[in-house]
């Protein structure tokens, strides 16, 4: 079993996924950290410029053209989290949860989401 899996900027292998499912720890590479930081900086730049950003300063779906006021952006993001934070049925097996969290962290490490490094680290 591999003890540590390193998430690179844009590549995740089936071998890494299997290792995580067997209990390997995961960490971000410096390239992944850099990509996350650059993506966050780009998002913050667009916010400072006042440019609309889908799902950040606008609504979703049919409400994508609706601008959310600056004082409501935090509430929008909080409500988005709450709307996706539900579950039903029996808990998933531990291995499945580990893989799902790893894959989410790997996806966020591309730097295209505008997330900060801290939530990715928390997932890992």
């Amino acid at each position: 079993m591999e003890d540590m899996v390193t998430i690179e900027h844009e590549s995740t292998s089936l071998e890494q996924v299997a290792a995580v499912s067997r209990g390997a720890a995961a960490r971000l590479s410096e390239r992944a950290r850099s990509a996350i930081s650059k993506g966050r900086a780009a998002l913050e730049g667009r916010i400072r410029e006042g440019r609309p950003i889908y799902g950040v300063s606008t609504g979703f779906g049919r409400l994508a053209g609706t601008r959310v006021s600056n004082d409501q952006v935090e509430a929008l993001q909080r409500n988005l989290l709450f709307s996706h934070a539900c579950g039903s049925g029996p808990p998933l097996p531990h291995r499945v949860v580990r893989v799902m969290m790893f894959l989410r962290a790997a996806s966020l490490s591309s730097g295209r989401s505008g997330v900060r490094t801290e939530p990715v680290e928390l997932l890992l």
Side-chain angles (χ1 to χ4, degrees):
M1 174 179 70
E2 190 175 340
D3 293 325
M4 180 66 69
V5 171
T6 301
I7 296 175
E8 294 296 337
H9 167 55
E10 289 199 23
S11 63
T12 302
S13 69
L14 289 176
E15 291 79 16
Q16 288 176 313
V17 173
V20 167
S21 78
R22 293 188 304 266
R27 66 178 177 186
L28 294 171
S29 71
E30 286 307 313
R31 280 186 70 203
R33 286 177 185 283
S34 177
I36 293 169
S37 295
K38 287 177 184 175
R40 180 62 183 206
L43 174 69
E44 289 174 352
R46 287 186 71 171
I47 291 169
R48 279 191 303 277
E49 294 168 2
R51 293 170 59 189
I53 305 164
Y54 178 79
V56 176
S57 59
T58 72
F60 300 91
R62 289 186 292 184
L63 297 175
T66 303
R67 184 69 186 245
V68 176
S69 64
N70 288 345
D71 62 330
Q72 292 296 310
V73 168
E74 186 176 332
L76 173 70
Q77 295 304 307
R78 185 179 193 80
N79 290 339
L80 175 64
L81 286 174
F82 286 158
S83 74
H84 287 73
C86 67
S88 62
L92 293 171
H94 186 72
R95 290 174 64 154
V96 173
V97 174
R98 284 182 57 80
V99 167
M100 290 170 61
M101 292 176 73
F102 170 75
L103 289 172
R104 185 64 180 144
S107 172
L108 293 171
S109 74
S110 72
R112 294 186 180 99
S113 70
V115 71
R116 294 175 295 117
T117 305
E118 293 86 353
V120 182
E121 290 285 356
L122 186 60
L123 286 170
L124 296 176

